[in-house]
Amino acid sequence: QLQLVESGGGLVQPGGSLRLSCAASGFTLDYYAIGWFRQAPGKEREGVSCISSSDGSTYYADSVKGRFTISRDNAKNTVYLQMNSLKPEDTAVYYCAADPLFCSDHPGYWGQGTQVTVSS
């Protein structure tokens, strides 16, 4: 059974850092494009970052460029999202998602999400 599990969320002060993990089971992550999405209360889901399966190209939303970094560790079958200089507006539930073809807004497989709260 294909499964994605996020971890690493929590409460952090503005300016702080968190590293989210997306661990896969039932399939090999390096054959999939992996995206991170987030949804804040009362707002639509938005794409945050993605890493392709073909050449490891990375993509970022303008709101997180220069602050977030996506990476993958194929040996651990895990993708990470390093989040630095966090702002209150980064508060949301963060989801990772996998697509067998490419980075998209509608990937086929989703994790359950992890809460990130940025507050003093």
Side-chain angles (χ1 to χ4, degrees), residues 8-9 26 70 78:
I70 191 170
T78 299

Side-chain angles (χ1 to χ4, degrees), residues 6 8-12 18 20 36-48 63-64 68 81 83 86-96 112-119:
E6 302 96 334
L11 173 64
V12 63
L18 284 174
L20 305 183
W36 284 97
F37 298 78
R38 67 186 181 186
Q39 188 165 22
K43 295 187 176 181
E44 292 187 356
R45 186 183 68 202
E46 64 170 332
V48 174
S63 57
V64 306
F68 291 10
L81 185 69
M83 306 187 297
L86 283 162
K87 305 175 181 180
E89 52 263 44
D90 295 318
T91 296
V93 178
Y94 284 70
Y95 302 88
C96 67
Q112 83 290 347
T114 185
Q115 176 71 46
V116 171
T117 303
V118 184
S119 175

Side-chain angles (χ1 to χ4, degrees), residues 1-2 5 12 17-19 23-24 34 40 64 71 74-75 79 85-87 92 98 103 105 107 113-115 117:
Q1 182 179 357
L2 192 151
V5 178
V12 63
S17 298
L18 284 174
R19 188 178 76 160
I34 305 297
V64 306
S71 62
N74 292 337
V79 169
S85 302
L86 283 162
K87 305 175 181 180
C103 289
D105 290 334
T114 185
Q115 176 71 46
T117 303

